[in-house]
Structures are given as structure tokens and as C-alpha cells.
Amino acid sequence: MTQLSSCPDNDQLLLLLDEKLSGVSEIQLVQHLDHCLRCQSRLEALVNKSGREVIPAMSQSPSLPAIWHLAGNGHRSPSENGLPVRDENAFQQIENSFPGESTGLRLLERIGQGGMGVVLKAHDLALERPVAVKFISPQLAEDPAARQRFLREARAAAGITHSQVVTIHSVNDRQPFPFFTMEWIDGLPLNGWLDGNRLLETETLIDIGCQLARGLAAAHDGGVIHRDIKPENILLDSRSGQVKITDFGLARVMDEYRLTHTDVFLGSPGFQAPESLETVDSVDQRSDLFSLGCVLYFLCAKVPPFEHPSLIRSLQHAARGIYRPLREVAPRTPASLERVIVQLLRPDPKERFPDAREVERQLQSCLRSVIPPPVSPRPAQDSLSLKVRTRQGSRIDQRPNAWRWPAWGLLLVGALAPVFFLLGNLFAGGALAERQEASVNRDLPGQRRVEPVEDTRVQATAFSGKHKEMKRATRISKDPLMPFVLEVADQEPTGFRTLNGAIAAAGDGATIRVDSSERFEFYQPITVPHGIRLLAAESRRPIFDVYLAGNETEDEEDPDHEMEDDDNGDGEGLLAFLQLQGRTTIRGIDFQLHPVEEIECGLIQTDAPLVAEDCGFSVPSEGIALVSQSEVDLEFVGCRFQVPAGLAIGGEADQEGQATFRNCLIAGDVVLRLATESPFRVLMENCTCFSNRFAELFPGIDFEEEFLGEPFSGGTSFFQFDVQHSVLCTREGLLVLEADDGLFQRQHRRFLGWKGEGNLLVDPGVILWHEDGYEEMDEISWCQGLATWKKKFVEVDSLTDPAPFRESLESLYVKLENRQGLSGKALELKEELKSGAGFCPESTDRISSSVD
Amino acid sequence: MDATRASLLVRIREASDGEAWGSFSRIYGPIIYQFGKRLGMQEADAADLVQDVLNEVNRSIGRFEYDPLIGRFRSWLFKIAHRAAIRMRKKEHRVHAAVLEPTARQLADEVVDPFDQESIWETEYQRELLAWAAERVRNQVSPRTWTAFWRTAAEGEKPQQVAAELGLSPGAVYVAKNRVTKRLAEKIREVDDTA
């Protein structure tokens, strides 16, 4: 057969690809392709022109799951439950050649397969217990060097005895497949476990980090480096809840095999230290620390920091330290933990922590900072890190980063209140505020008051007949130990030691004055069966710290239930601190909710009209409902809400309701969440609202349309929303109305009064979301001007967690910057934002004085 | 090819064309399923998502204008899947009318950024389509051709080395690799408008 004298043209090549050439021509062409480099690449180019988009995975480094799938290794790609995909052939080979019970083992089931080995569950006949057996993979077994290395690494790893390391029982050099046995762990690899239980609490996560660091420290002490720390190699024992590291050193077997057999480096993208790209020997214990950092990042963010289908590319990113900031991906991550992870992920090993023990120490201190101690003794006053005095002293002294979470320096500047207050650090390591009133309660230096539980219960149950006696028995006036002063017309004020005591003694409409600026701790919900006025005494600023744990005792002896017999039991499902059953006024009190467990709880639940003036409501990031229940009239004046999950209003009442917000600051991922079955009206005047989540799921104001019932009488609107002179700063939009059936478009849109005079709406002011996509309406109109804005900045500084709201402001700046043709106030505002007003804590003084 | 592809979309508009629906859900079901899983759903939820999305497609395919220039069927499908996923999340977490779900914050953290969702969608889409096509193309070629393709295109091995091991000439390996790639591309183009 003769060879082609010249290169074929494109048509010829295409015909070849489509198998349309005659046998002889095809053979000639193929022979030509054997050595014509130019035609080889032409052929590729021809196909790639059409196939580029189809098979991107193949033009670069392929993504592993796609490859598994493609290779026909099982129908579902790997790790349905975190276990590697199996190559049943490998199992078959191993099972067929297994010597049998002479080894003391009976093979039970196939578990999984990794790069270098195959794992089966087996029964240890002598000790009568399950064990895991790892065989070298048939492919590697053919290489004597790999076999030796496999056995050597297994023996080295067998020397590690630690509760966080999977124990190796025996190492067995059998032909054809050497194996070793390990303890059997009932559980799943971390990645598999995460698939099913997606939410890892921060504490759990840090605890896992500590355990891993301990396990690594033990291994490193014994001179063993893991080399391939990744979620697949970390087992979570479902019995003990402990994590155990497996496959110590075995990655090396694979590395060396690959280095000698192919020039392709393969490993676990996403978790490998950059130095592992160099030589096998450039890896040391700090490489494991890098991988540990990747695992921690993965646990927080659910994606590895360097996730690229190409291992090389991901290692390049690792080498340059290119990854998305953790708190951008997982905003819930505490800053202290992020700092540890950042240091672990340093490209230069010298900049990481020196050893695993140090990592554990660092993680332990993170752990301490995230667990709020509900009943721990307060630190002495000389550990103050934040000092604020009252206005006369007018000196605000803050740590530069005191506003950053979790150092919750909380400085509240009431929109109406003429006094600055400090709510101290909530954490054990933090400080207690120095207070003007400290002298009043000298007998309780640096301590919080705890609302005694027993006392609460007794008095609440004794309420019905005995309150007169109790009143007499506890009548003491002006005693700092009796800060709850009950005022009844024509009677001497009566002091009570506990709020519950005062409430129990009060009649309908009575006034209880809180004559203290203490922090009070509450551990039980309080039901107020009638109207009260709960007011802070003149120039007093009490703080109610509410710690609510599960209410498992609800069914028995719960007096609340007897009292609300005629109620329809709306409250089920919500454990609220104050359960209000009569018309209530609250003034000048700051409430802070600290759920003890992750339970559904809130601060206030009301079935009756409520007025709150100059109050602070703060719930932690776990996102617990703050105010809820019934379409009654709610009025908030000069209140500050820090409510990540927003204010929930809703219920099943059969009357029209209304919520009014005046001079309020509402900060949260959702501003308002409305689920009302009756017509409802929201009025907002002079308010500032920040929400910072993706609008699609967490709009500034969320309607749960499925709960909308009857329209207002004489109208077609279920819901009215009027905003006047307010700043509504939301990340992606104020309103998202999901209107599958066109409900909002047809009936609601025109009743939304949000375009009222004097509002500042951060664009895209409104997103209407309906069938055919998004409709954005850019609306910016202007409020009173910069004075207002400056005031808002100060308020932002007063939030427990201002960072997200600063981000809102920053994104506002970016939006303004990108907007063409800014003029007048908008331009001024942009300049103001640019010059940093409100962004740096140091400017607080300046701004606050200008507000005064 | 264009005709086939357009016709599958056209055919599923005819509610009565059960066969077209069958192929449609066989192709796109796994994509939606994997998408749901990657968003962190449990198996059952991901299966629900598939149902939701297919129902939605069924309802609104009539409104999808197929235009080879603009019509990105995959983006359209993504929008539907994305919204269905959000609806499911909201429903899942909506405990009581009056009570704000306690996990709103967690939910927010858990929810994947829409931008990332789109890239997840792209990945799953490509991966599943590729797998779907591979399953079909693989049966049309000899095992040796497939192996030659596989080891060169997917595993990145050198054609010369693969050729030696498979007893083929290097030219034959090049031809095998590109033939299969081309077929895969064509197969995928039968059902996807962007490839």
C-alpha cells in the first residue's frame, strides 16, 4: 500500500471521521496520521470546532465525576454518600484471590475504593468483631516498589495510637494483594455525612477541627505525615460523634507510583498544599496543616477553597493564595475561626502555624469565643475593653475593631433617647460595661441579676388568690434589690425583686417601673395575662438578657395554658419570652435574646395591641423570631431592631390590623415578614431599614402570599405598605413578590405606597418577580439629606453586628458610582460615602457630635 | 441535527407526544436531580425537584420560543429549576403562619448564591449530558475505539503510549479519539441548543 504523498484536505478528514472513506483510503489516511503532526492537530481542530462546548472537560483536565461516569464505572457518579466509586472488577479480583479464613478473616461486604486501595468489611474470626480491610489496588500490586511502599506506610501508620486516628490492627504481606486491617468505624466520611446533614453548627465544626488537629499532632509526633487530608479520609463515628483520620501516609504510595509510571500528577484537587506539586520530599507536617485548613474551609463553606476541575490549576491557586474569602461564602463563620483558617491556608509553609498543637490551641480559643456562657461569672471590671460614659463625659473609646463580630461591642444610640448607653460584651472574654449607676448597686459589683426560676414559678401559680398578701409582704420602696416597682393608682409604689413578682401582683393596666440600669437575666417565659405598662424609670436603662431553653415541661403544670383557654392556641410552636395577652406598653428597655439551644423562640408574642417606645430588640444570628402573632395594632416608636430573621407579623385574627414604625432602625436579613390572613397595613415613617441578603429568598419585605385572606373592606387590597421619609437600604431589592398567579400584579401593586415623598430607596428599589422574569424599577428619590444619613451611620455603629450593614452602605456606594449622570444630593451622598463617613469607627465621635 | 434538536422541543409541546416526554425526562431528569443534590438537597427532595421542574416545563414549554440564536434552552430550564428550588426551600422552612422560621439565617447561609447556582447548573448540565451521550455512543463503537478515546481524551494520556498498549497505530488512536468526540458532540447537539 502506498502512503499519501501530500496532506489530505479538510473534507477528507471529515469523511474519515464520519467513516465514509473507502477501506483503502481510510488505511492510507490513518497511516499518514501516524506521523504527520500537522494533520494530527488539524484533525483535533476540526472536531474541537464543533465539540468544544460539548466536552469542555476533555479539552482541559477532566472533572473527575464526569470521567467516572463516562468511563462506565457505575451509573451514578462518585460519592452518593461520600464513598468513592467502586470498580467492581477490582473487588472481584481481590475477593477471588483472597486466601480465605486461614487469614483469620471472613470478607463481608465491599465498602469502597480509593486511589491506591480497596476497602472491604470483614469479620475478625479470632476476636469476633468487624474490621475494615484495606487491600492494595490490583493495579498498584503489580509494581513491587508500590507494594513495598504500601506495606511500609501501613506499618508506620500502625504506630500511631490516638483516638482521632483509625487504628491499624495488622499488616499482611500476602500475594497477590497485600492488605492491612483496621478498626471498623460505624459512620461515614465527612463529605458523605455533610451531604445528609448539611448544617454544621459552628461549635461542632470547630470541635471537629480540634479533634483533627489532635490526631495530626499525634501522627506528626510519630514522624508520620498524612499527605492527603481531605473529607473522604476523615470518618465520623456515628456512635461516639468523634472524627477519625484514616489512610495515613498512603497518598505517598500513589504519588510515587504515578511519578514513575506516568508523568501526570494526580491527587485530590481542593485539599492539597501547593508544595506537594514540587517533590515528594517537599511535603512536611505543615502540608497537612494546609489540608486541614482546606477541610475547615470546606466544612464552613461546603466548597473547598481551591475548587477547580484541574488539579494543577487548583494547586496554582493554592500557591498564590487565591480563594474566595471565607466569610463571603459563609457569612456565619466567626472572624476568629476565619483568621485561623487564613493562616492555615498560607502558601508558604513557614507562615502557617508551626505545628498541629498550636492549631488546636487556636481552635480552642475560637471555641471559647463562640459559645456564649449563659451562667458564667462575669469578669472583673478591670478587664474593660470598652468604655463609654454618659453624655457629660462624652468620650467614646472603642477598640479599633470593637464593632466587628464577634467582639460585640454594642453601643446603642437611641433615635430619640437623649442618652448614650453601652450594652456590654456578651461573651465571657468580653467586658461588662461600666455604668453610671454602678454605685447604686454596689452590693452587686459586676454581676448580673438572675431572675430566679423558682420564685417565678411559685408566684405565677400563686397569682390567682394571694396577690394582696404578697404585695404587703414585699412592700419595700427604693431598695436597689427591689428594682421592679409596681405603681397602682392611689397606692404607695411597691418594690419587687423579680419582674414576675411584679406582674403577678399587678392588676389590669398597672404600671411597672424598672428602676435600674442593671442587666437582668431571664430563663423562663413570662405570661402577662392582662394589660401592663412596663417602663424604664427616668434615666434608667435596664437590659433584659433572655436565655430560653426548650420548653419540654409545657404539657404539665403550665399555667400559661390555663390562662389562655379561650385562645385558639396560636402560640404553639413559638416559645416567647413575653407572652402578652392584654394591651401593653413597653418603654426604654433593651431586650436581648440568647437561645440556649437551637430552638424556636422569640422575645415577644402578643395577642393584644402593643406599643413599644425607645426599646432595643436584639436576637442573635441564629435568627429567632422577634415579634409575632395576630393582626392587632402594633406601634413601635424609636425602637432599634437587630433581627437577622426580620420581624414576623402574622396570624389568624379576623380583623384588620396595622403596624406602625416611627423613627425605628430595623436591621436584619429580612426587614419584615408578613403572613397575615386578614388585611394588614404597615406604616413606616422616618425609619431606616437594612437588609442584606439575596432578595430572591430574603427580600427586604416578604409577603407570604399563601396566607393572604380577605381584602380590606371596600377595597381589593389585602395589604398596604406606606413608607414616608425612610431609608430602605436592601442589598438586592426591597420587595420581591412571587406572583405565580399574577395576584400582586393585578391587585396589589398599585396599593404599595412605597414611592412616597421623601423616601430613599436603594436601587433597584423594587423587584417584581413574576412568571416571565424580573422586572426592575429604578427609583431613587431623596430624603432630607445628608444629616439624616449621618445619623443613620451612627445607628449602624450601634448595632451588635454592623458589618453586614456596612456592606450595604458600601454596596450602595458602588451602585451610586456605577450610575450615570448623578446630580445634586446623590452626588453629595456618594462623596460622603467615599470620604468614609460612617465607615471607620474613629469617625463615630465626629458624626455623633454633628448629630447632637 | 438542528432539526432533531428543535423537534424534541417542538414535540414535547404536543402534550400528547408521550414518547418525546419520555426522552425529555430521561435526558433532563438526571440533570435536575444532580443540580438539586449539589444544592444540598436530600435524594427525595431532589426527586421532588425533578417532578416540579418537569411539571413546570410541561406547563410553560408553549411559551418558550425556540430561536437558535437567542434561545438558550439550558438557561430557560435553569430559571425554572432555580425558582422551583427556592420555592421548595421556602416551603420546607415555613413552619407556621405567624412564626418566622427560626432557621431563616441558616437557610440564607445554606442557600447557594444565585451566581454559583448557575455555574453548578452548567456543570451538572454538561456532565449529565455528556454521560447521557457517552452511554449511547459507547455502544456504537468498538471497545478498543472507546478505550483509545477514553484514555487520550479523558485521561489525557499520550496517543503514542495508548497506541502501543492497545496494539493500534498512533494514527488510529487519533482517529478513534476524534471520531468518538465528534459523535458525542453530535449526540449532545441533538438535545441541546447551545452545543
Side-chain angles (χ1 to χ4, degrees), chain A residues 406-477:
Chain A
W408 290 15
L410 171 54
L411 169 67
L412 275 183
V413 184
L416 294 178
V419 189
F420 294 98
F421 295 96
L422 172 84
L423 305 186
N425 196 310
L426 297 177
F427 294 119
L432 184 70
E434 179 185 8
R435 287 192 206 96
Q436 192 184 25
E437 288 78 14
S439 58
V440 177
N441 295 308
R442 198 153 282 169
D443 50 338
L444 295 167
Q447 279 187 9
R448 297 191 196 189
R449 289 215 183 170
V450 176
E451 181 91 356
V453 175
E454 257 88 278
D455 180 277
T456 297
R457 281 290 176 189
V458 171
Q459 295 198 5
T461 31
F463 156 69
S464 44
K466 296 186 183 167
H467 64 283
K468 278 185 185 162
E469 287 79 359
M470 276 161 50
K471 244 177 5 186
R472 243 179 275 131
T474 52
R475 176 179 294 191
I476 302 165
S477 59

Side-chain angles (χ1 to χ4, degrees), chain A residues 586-602:
Chain A
I586 304 175
R587 188 192 300 147
I589 297 172
D590 285 308
F591 296 89
Q592 297 190 5
L593 180 64
H594 316 274
V596 175
E597 298 148 21
E598 263 195 40
I599 52 162
E600 199 171 274
C601 58

Side-chain angles (χ1 to χ4, degrees), chain A residues 14 16-19 26 30 33-34 40 43-44 47-48 50-51 53-58 62-63 65-72 75-77 80 195-196 198-199 261-264 302 307 324 329 331-332 570 572-574 598-600 621-625 628-629 644-646 648-652 669 673 675 677 693-694 696-698 702 704 706-707 738 740 769-772 774 801 804, chain B residues 30 33-34 37-43 45 56 60 63 72 74 79 82-83 86-87 89-114 116 123 126-128 130-135 138 141 146 149-150 152-158 160-161 169-175 177-186 188-189 192 194-195:
Chain A
L14 279 173
L16 172 72
L17 286 173
D18 291 339
E19 298 173 64
E26 173 159 339
V30 170
L33 278 166
D34 280 346
Q40 287 171 2
L43 193 68
E44 300 259 318
V47 168
N48 282 345
S50 54
E53 264 208 60
V54 184
I55 315 180
M58 294 187 190
S63 77
I67 292 319
W68 273 109
H69 207 145
L70 253 182
H75 187 71
R76 279 278 132 245
S77 38
E80 278 293 284
D195 278 350
R198 300 182 295 281
L199 290 174
H261 285 75
T262 64
D263 47 8
V264 188
K302 296 174 197 77
E307 192 183 38
R324 275 183 78 185
V329 194
R332 228 158 42 117
D570 269 350
E572 62 183 87
L574 178 77
E598 263 195 40
I599 52 162
E600 199 171 274
S621 59
E622 280 75 21
I624 307 298
S628 78
Q629 216 57 342
I649 301 172
E652 294 156 1
D669 297 333
R673 186 144 198 160
E677 293 204 343
R693 287 284 166 181
F694 292 106
E696 280 180 28
L697 196 55
F698 295 98
D702 192 12
E704 302 199 350
E706 66 194 61
F707 296 108
E738 194 177 344
D740 271 347
W769 191 14
H770 50 79
E771 278 290 275
D772 306 312
Y774 301 92
D801 181 10
Chain B
Y33 180 85
Q34 289 299 328
K37 292 275 305 213
R38 284 282 306 274
L39 294 187
M41 293 183 180
Q42 313 269 14
E43 282 84 355
D45 292 339
E56 183 64 33
S60 42
R63 260 169 295 166
R72 292 251 306 166
R74 95 169 57 162
K79 276 193 191 117
H82 172 61
R83 287 191 45 197
I86 285 178
R87 263 203 305 274
R89 294 278 180 155
K90 284 182 119 172
K91 209 174 286 171
E92 203 176 291
H93 287 263
R94 200 170 279 166
V95 185
H96 187 272
V99 178
L100 184 70
E101 60 260 33
T103 50
R105 180 68 169 243
Q106 300 165 349
L107 175 60
D109 287 338
E110 187 186 316
V111 161
V112 184
D113 182 318
D116 292 344
T123 317
Q126 289 175 356
R127 180 184 297 174
E128 291 294 326
L130 187 57
W132 172 83
E135 225 169 82
R138 197 182 184 183
V141 300
W146 181 263
F149 154 78
W150 178 255
T152 49
E155 291 183 341
E157 292 186 44
K158 293 201 175 83
Q160 281 72 12
Q161 190 186 336
S169 77
V173 171
Y174 271 103
V175 172
K177 174 187 175 190
N178 290 297
R179 253 182 202 162
V180 176
T181 308
K182 186 159 181 285
R183 283 208 190 178
L184 282 173
E186 284 164 6
I188 288 171
R189 237 173 294 140
D192 181 72
T194 44

Side-chain angles (χ1 to χ4, degrees), chain A residues 819-830:
Chain A
R819 184 171 275 263
Q820 299 297 312
L822 279 185
S823 62
K825 293 240 167 76
L827 203 60
E828 253 181 87
L829 174 61
K830 194 187 102 178

